[in-house]
Amino acid sequence: MPYILGIETSCDETAAAVVARGGEVLSSVVASQVSTHGKYGGVVPELASREHLRAIVPVVREAMEEAHASWADLSAIAATAGPGLVGSLLVGLTFAKGVSVVRRLPLIGVNHLEGHIHAVVLDARRTGEAIETPALALVASGGHTHLFLWPGGEHYRLLGKTRDDAAGEAYDKVAKLLGFSYPGGPVLDRLAEYGDADAVALPMAKMKGNPLDFSFSGLKTAVLRWVQSKNMEEEIARRRELLRCNPRPSVEEWLRVTPRATLDVIAAFQRIVVEELLKRVERAAEETGARAVIIAGGVACNAGLRRAAHSGRLSCPAYFPTPHLSTDNAAMIAAAAWPRFERGEFDDLSLKAQANLALA
Ligand code: KG4
Ligand code: ZN
């Protein structure tokens, strides 16, 4: 059975996975650098490369052991070639090139965004469920908010993308300005359940030009203005103090230092992000006659987004990755490499790490 070893180091997770036939995840190991970057409220590129260098060998070893795989069991090695932080990409890609030479394994470079989309395809392959095409694919993460039309195969058409912040970046920035931990998405998502989204009015983006483009910076600024109007220094200081004592507070602990009004603004923020994303997906589905919607990337973990996408408002079924395959991982990279492996399309050692590698 063909096994592919996938490697992902595009941002702040060092990940390796062994996937059989593009659908069976034998192992998926993710070493997060959250504790390194947390105190800066975002990823520091130099620190990320150094952490990848430290982690890559133990992470690959763990993935191989967990899969009970030997080097001789592998049929190919796949690594993220971009987009991402170039210093981070280089660690995984160079490691993969080395293994490919020493073990005489074909090398497959994967686009990180295609990887996110294949996190959903992987699940469908495993369960035998068919995702009908043409499909829409929304990739919403800390670095990207891109909407593609996917006719099938390896072709993608870009329908729209963010003009400023990515959706996950908006979560991270709003969390930072309110004094919550990094990454901001998971904590704000859980706290949003306790607030009343109707209690605070936040603006939707006003777009000129392509109506399928996204924008989140105005929303972030509106939250900033709200904070500035409220005299919140003490409240924010209490949360920062909580974080100093405990880098991973529970929801109950956050709730103890988060008054109702702040929960309301979080709920309102989340409702607008979900609405901005789904409004464009809805419109694109109607315009293109898409038969399915794939929603992937870290923001696809969002409970509010999942609930809204499954509420019947979309004209076709919506598919999300299982939550541990939504955020960065290497199983999705091995899965995206599978169709290329079947076609015998391999890369050579001239393959470059590209910070802005485009999918379409
Ligand atoms: O895909 P990913 O792991 O890395 C990138 O390629 O960027 O996505 C990470 C992003 C972060 O911005 C994080 O705040 C966001 O995904 N995120 C969420 C949730 N979980 C992670 N955003 C909203 N709701 C969540 N539950
Ligand atoms: Zn990602």
Side-chain angles (χ1 to χ4, degrees), residues 80-91:
T80 307
L85 301 169
V86 82
S88 292
L89 289 164
L90 273 171
V91 176

Side-chain angles (χ1 to χ4, degrees), residues 166-183:
E169 190 180 358
Y171 271 96
D172 297 338
K173 287 180 173 172
V174 164
K176 186 176 178 180
L177 72 90
L178 289 171
F180 290 99
S181 50
Y182 171 84

Side-chain angles (χ1 to χ4, degrees), residues 57-325:
V57 171
V59 163
V60 169
R61 192 174 288 145
E62 195 181 330
M64 294 291 284
E65 279 169 11
E66 219 175 80
H68 301 292
S70 70
W71 293 110
D73 294 327
L74 297 182
S75 301
I77 182 158
T80 307
L85 301 169
V86 82
S88 292
L89 289 164
L90 273 171
V91 176
L93 192 57
T94 310
F95 181 90
K97 285 180 181 176
V99 172
S100 119
V101 171
V102 173
R103 300 287 170 183
R104 295 176 198 284
L105 287 170
L107 173 70
I108 302 173
V110 172
N111 182 302
H112 182 81
L113 300 187
E114 187 170 27
H116 274 301
I117 294 168
H118 272 262
V120 178
V121 177
L122 184 159
D123 271 338
R125 254 188 223 121
R126 184 173 52 79
T127 57
E129 191 178 11
I131 297 177
E132 286 192 60
T133 50
L136 290 176
L138 172 70
V139 182
S141 70
H144 301 93
T145 302
H146 281 48
L147 180 61
F148 297 100
L149 179 66
W150 186 38
E154 82 269 40
H155 301 294
Y156 299 86
R157 201 174 98 215
L158 183 64
L159 300 176
K161 65 176 178 175
T162 183
R163 294 190 190 163
D164 39 60
D165 292 345
E169 190 180 358
Y171 271 96
D172 297 338
K173 287 180 173 172
V174 164
K176 186 176 178 180
L177 72 90
L178 289 171
F180 290 99
S181 50
Y182 171 84
V187 53
L188 295 189
D189 184 13
R190 300 206 47 200
L191 292 179
E193 308 281 333
Y194 296 88
D196 173 7
D198 289 324
V200 182
L202 293 175
M204 295 284 290
K206 291 189 189 66
M207 307 294 291
K208 290 201 179 109
N210 181 0
L212 297 180
D213 274 349
F214 302 84
S215 168
F216 294 100
S217 71
L219 176 59
K220 173 195 65 192
T221 308
V223 177
L224 176 65
R225 297 264 175 279
W226 184 88
V227 169
Q228 286 166 338
S229 72
K230 291 283 184 241
N231 204 356
M232 288 176 69
E233 288 80 10
E234 259 181 48
E235 179 193 329
I236 291 174
R238 273 201 298 281
R239 280 194 287 273
R240 296 213 169 115
E241 184 53 31
L242 168 63
L243 260 183
R244 254 194 301 281
C245 305
N246 174 5
R248 288 175 179 269
S250 64
V251 171
E252 289 68 32
E253 286 167 314
W254 281 127
L255 284 171
R256 257 180 252 135
V257 289
T258 308
R260 183 59 204 241
T262 307
L263 295 171
D264 291 344
V265 85
I266 293 170
F269 166 77
Q270 167 131 317
R271 185 163 77 186
I272 301 271
V273 174
V274 168
E275 192 52 36
E276 294 282 8
L277 294 172
L278 282 191
K279 198 173 79 175
R280 280 143 181 104
V281 167
E282 207 171 14
R283 179 176 180 144
E286 275 161 26
E287 282 176 7
T288 61
R291 309 181 65 142
V293 171
I294 290 171
I295 301 185
V299 179
C301 290
N302 191 271
L305 179 60
R306 285 178 184 241
R307 215 172 21 242
H310 288 137
S311 67
R313 67 183 271 185
L314 297 176
S315 55
C316 53
Y319 298 89
F320 287 80
T322 50
H324 69 281
L325 293 182

